[in-house]
Amino acid sequence: MKTKLLTVLLLVPFFCLGQNFKVNYSFDKSIVEGNLAPTLQIQDPLKKDNFKSVFIQMDGNLDGKKTYEIYKGDQKLLVLKNDKNWYELKDGTSPLFDKQFEIRDVKTPKEKLEFTFQYNGSSNENRGATYGNVDVFVKNHIKDKYKQSKFGLVDDKGAIHIFIDQFGNSLQSTLPQGVPYFKYYVHVVYLDSKTNPNYIYSVDQTKGSIDTGIFIENPDAGKFKLQGANVGGETLIWYVNETALQSSNKDNIEFDIYRTQIKEGLRTKIGSFIIKMAPTFHASINVGLYVTQLENPDYTLVDLGNSTSTVKKSLEGGNGVITATATLYTSPIILLESLIEKDQDKKKALYTRASTRCYINDHEWYEKIYPTVGVKLGDKAFENLFAGFSFEVARGATIFFGGNYSKVNYFEGDFDFGTETITPQEFDLRKKEKWDWGFAYGVNLDLRIIGNLFGQ
């Protein structure tokens, strides 16, 4: 007969006591494991309801005359020595599962080791069968609800769903890469009694932008065929607890999962998890190479001799300028979609995506039109302004189209430049400046590209 696996979870595994000697566990006074480790798996040939005792042997290099005690809370259950003998651990006639025990050094009470026996299935199933059942259950549970994406399982509103079993194992290959502003749901899948549940699972978010968790007991968990087993006449079914987490702009999401045993009130942490957040950006700083159609001619007084002068006008047509620009990663197309969307969750997701950029959840090519503002590099930079939109053709390179608003020179009145004569006094009166608009276009390059081109 195949046996079930019993997991011993150490809550405080690195105390001095655990470092100095070995603690062995057995059901028939034969050694089954060596050192007590943070996670120790041993075979138990008994059913859950019958697991009411276990033998413990302390074996190490400490003084053989030292005495140790095992407690459950404030209740002392056993006195044992480091003498290589086996001692039977009991808690009356009740099973030992899911109870917190402590081994204490009598002379040094602060030196202690805490542990819990965790039940992991019925007597006629092995670990593979248990995980096979949970896989089938999860596949049925997520069927037609979520779709697989590069961010993990996603629902129709764009939220990401993560499934973790009752022992703290991710039922996906790994936790997904975090995307800022996404909503995440953690589902804890666990096996428990259909008529008399023993556990409550909870998820505590410890880092990130924390929203109030939504704790939902799945109402239809009992309808799947391959969902549980019968142990000692008790029907076990799969349950799903769901908690919502909220991501922030830059912080990783960190959360702990706890299991509370209802009858004893014992709360045990079964795992800590991190969703590592990908960076997001709101803008980029670039160097622009623009052509502006706004004329800004120079007017020069030219001496014609015989005490006469005329005016020469230069710079006909457009001219090239070098600019410093800022591109805001606010997509007007996504922003328009968010205004049209009626579903509030989708509207919020679209709105936040419209104003930020994350490269693992990048905008589509047709959404990569961003507002851009800039100034001409050089003197009087803020007298030569640019505004418009940039379309990204490659990462770090965009095409700009927009307008140039600048202070330009102009010559008042009609004048036949180069031939008509004028006095110096009249030239000074008719040469003036004004603000004007003109069409501009060009390219923007990321500062890192410029630096690489010049070896900096």
Side-chain angles (χ1 to χ4, degrees):
M1 176 183 294
K2 294 183 178 179
T3 61
K4 71 180 188 315
L5 291 177
L6 177 69
T7 302
V8 180
L9 301 178
L10 300 186
L11 304 181
V12 188
F14 299 110
F15 279 70
C16 295
L17 193 65
Q19 295 175 352
N20 294 330
F21 64 95
K22 296 189 294 184
V23 178
N24 299 314
Y25 287 81
S26 174
F27 297 94
D28 57 3
K29 299 185 180 182
S30 63
I31 296 177
V32 293
E33 290 289 345
N35 279 331
L36 194 63
T39 299
L40 178 65
Q41 294 179 341
I42 58 179
Q43 292 187 349
D44 172 21
L46 306 174
K47 293 184 178 180
K48 176 180 179 181
D49 292 342
N50 293 332
F51 178 48
K52 297 175 181 178
S53 70
V54 67
F55 291 94
I56 294 179
Q57 178 196 67
M58 305 187 70
D59 179 17
N61 299 320
L62 297 181
D63 186 352
K65 296 181 180 179
K66 264 196 168 185
T67 302
Y68 305 89
E69 297 172 337
I70 296 183
Y71 281 81
K72 185 191 74 172
D74 295 329
Q75 180 185 2
K76 182 167 66 174
L77 300 179
L78 180 64
V79 177
L80 64 160
K81 293 184 178 181
N82 183 26
D83 56 7
K84 298 186 179 180
N85 290 325
W86 290 99
Y87 293 85
E88 187 176 14
L89 173 61
K90 288 184 176 182
D91 184 18
T93 59
S94 62
L96 299 178
F97 289 110
D98 301 315
K99 298 175 181 177
Q100 183 172 317
F101 301 98
E102 290 181 358
I103 301 177
R104 301 177 184 174
D105 185 329
V106 173
K107 293 184 178 180
T108 313
K110 290 185 178 180
E111 290 189 359
K112 61 183 180 180
L113 186 63
E114 300 178 357
F115 61 95
T116 299
F117 294 105
Q118 173 60 49
Y119 178 64
N120 190 20
S122 65
S123 60
N124 61 353
E125 63 186 5
N126 59 24
R127 189 176 182 86
T130 300
Y131 277 77
N133 282 344
V134 76
D135 285 342
V136 172
F137 169 75
V138 169
K139 287 178 182 178
N140 281 279
H141 178 71
I142 69 176
K143 187 178 181 181
D144 301 326
K145 292 184 179 180
Y146 317 106
K147 62 181 180 179
Q148 191 66 45
S149 73
K150 60 183 178 180
F151 316 117
L153 291 174
V154 60
D155 63 23
D156 60 352
K157 295 183 178 181
I160 306 299
H161 294 258
I162 299 169
F163 286 83
I164 296 175
D165 72 9
Q166 64 206 62
F167 308 110
N169 302 304
S170 173
L171 295 175
Q172 296 149 291
S173 57
T174 58
L175 294 185
Q177 172 73 59
V179 180
Y181 302 112
F182 271 37
K183 181 171 285 188
Y184 289 84
Y185 288 89
V186 176
H187 304 254
V188 181
V189 183
Y190 64 100
L191 197 64
D192 203 353
S193 170
K194 182 177 181 180
T195 57
N196 188 27
N198 297 295
Y199 308 108
I200 295 175
Y201 283 80
S202 58
V203 178
D204 292 356
Q205 185 172 352
T206 58
K207 188 175 181 181
S209 179
I210 301 177
D211 276 1
T212 301
I214 302 173
F215 190 75
I216 302 171
E217 188 74 23
N218 186 47
D220 59 356
K223 73 179 185 180
F224 301 107
K225 293 181 179 179
L226 295 176
Q227 62 183 25
N230 186 281
V231 181
E234 184 177 29
T235 299
L236 302 179
I237 64 172
W238 292 110
Y239 290 88
V240 179
N241 282 348
E242 177 183 294
T243 302
L245 307 176
Q246 185 69 41
S247 60
S248 67
N249 181 34
K250 61 181 180 179
D251 292 334
N252 295 334
I253 297 177
E254 298 183 11
F255 61 95
D256 299 326
I257 296 180
Y258 289 88
R259 177 182 59 252
T260 301
Q261 189 176 359
I262 298 174
K263 293 180 181 179
E264 285 76 6
L266 175 65
R267 192 169 189 253
T268 305
K269 183 166 71 173
I270 67 169
S272 298
F273 305 86
I274 299 177
I275 302 174
K276 294 185 177 180
M277 203 58 55
T280 57
F281 306 97
H282 293 85
S284 64
I285 305 299
N286 312 287
V287 171
L289 306 174
Y290 292 174
V291 173
T292 175
Q293 300 300 310
L294 179 63
E295 292 188 5
N296 185 20
D298 290 328
Y299 298 97
T300 306
L301 188 65
V302 179
D303 186 7
L304 295 177
N306 299 322
S307 300
T308 60
S309 301
T310 188
V311 178
K312 181 180 179 181
K313 178 183 178 182
S314 65
L315 194 62
E316 297 284 347
N319 60 93
V321 294
I322 299 177
T323 63
T325 63
T327 298
L328 307 178
Y329 289 139
T330 300
S331 172
I333 294 177
I334 304 177
L335 190 60
L336 180 60
E337 291 176 357
S338 70
L339 296 176
I340 298 173
E341 180 59 56
K342 295 182 179 180
D343 185 280
Q344 292 302 313
D345 287 339
K346 290 183 178 180
K347 180 186 286 290
K348 182 180 179 181
L350 284 170
Y351 181 76
T352 54
R353 186 169 178 264
S355 58
T356 59
R357 187 175 186 187
C358 176
Y359 284 108
I360 70 167
N361 181 35
D362 206 358
H363 300 155
E364 300 293 340
W365 67 268
Y366 56 85
E367 298 170 337
K368 295 180 180 179
I369 299 175
Y370 306 115
T372 300
V373 294
V375 296
K376 179 183 177 181
L377 288 177
D379 295 337
K380 299 181 180 180
F382 291 98
E383 293 183 3
N384 203 333
L385 310 177
F386 294 85
F389 293 91
S390 294
F391 174 69
E392 186 176 81
V393 294
R395 187 170 176 178
T398 60
I399 297 174
F400 171 83
F401 51 93
N404 175 205
Y405 185 57
S406 179
K407 185 180 287 188
V408 297
N409 300 317
Y410 77 101
F411 203 77
E412 189 176 50
D414 295 330
F415 192 82
D416 189 4
F417 297 103
T419 57
E420 187 177 343
T421 60
I422 191 174
T423 65
Q425 294 79 9
E426 188 179 4
F427 172 78
D428 292 336
L429 290 174
R430 296 178 64 178
K431 181 183 176 183
K432 297 184 177 181
E433 291 182 325
K434 65 178 180 178
W435 286 91
D436 201 2
W437 276 101
F439 178 69
Y441 59 91
V443 295
N444 295 310
L445 296 177
D446 190 294
L447 283 176
R448 291 168 295 183
I449 296 177
I450 301 295
N452 291 333
L453 290 175
F454 291 94
Q456 296 179 357

